Amino acid sequence: MEAMIEDTTPSILRLEDLSPALIDMTLEEVEMPCQSPPSPDGPDPVFIERMGADVIVVRRACSSSRRLSIIGSDGQARTFLIAGQQSGGQGAAEE
């Protein structure tokens, strides 16, 4: 069954197909998540430059999550795992 799911469901999706609003969103002056608070001695904050084009489907333990890449103003891509609620059958209904 696992092989059948892998064969019929793509593991890479396009963000422009899933969420065009996220692609069109203005990201000026939005700081990259998960940074340390700004301090006078610390590094300059990294801002979100754009969203990555691909959404990777991560399948583990009978559930799936989505992995997004966010490109920062420093040119580095950072990946974030978007996990839905894991309460009972609700995750299966959303999938």
Side-chain angles (χ1 to χ4, degrees):
M1 184 170 172
E2 188 174 319
M4 187 175 73
I5 291 171
E6 290 289 333
D7 290 342
T8 59
T9 309
S11 59
I12 298 176
L13 307 170
R14 302 290 301 167
L15 186 61
E16 63 190 18
D17 297 334
L18 295 175
S19 180
L22 189 58
I23 292 290
D24 295 335
M25 189 170 72
T26 304
L27 298 170
E28 293 179 24
E29 301 299 318
V30 176
E31 288 190 22
M32 183 71 71
C34 304
Q35 295 186 76
S36 58
S39 66
D41 326 356
D44 292 334
V46 177
F47 295 94
I48 296 176
E49 195 70 28
R50 61 185 169 87
M51 303 298 291
D54 295 331
V55 177
I56 310 296
V57 178
V58 180
R59 294 182 181 97
R60 287 187 206 136
C62 299
S63 67
S64 66
S65 303
R66 306 293 186 260
R67 185 181 302 154
L68 294 174
S69 293
I70 301 176
I71 293 83
S73 57
D74 60 353
Q76 292 185 355
R78 291 162 178 85
T79 57
F80 293 89
L81 189 66
I82 310 300
Q85 292 181 338
Q86 303 297 323
S87 59
Q90 184 177 1
E94 291 175 0
E95 187 64 20

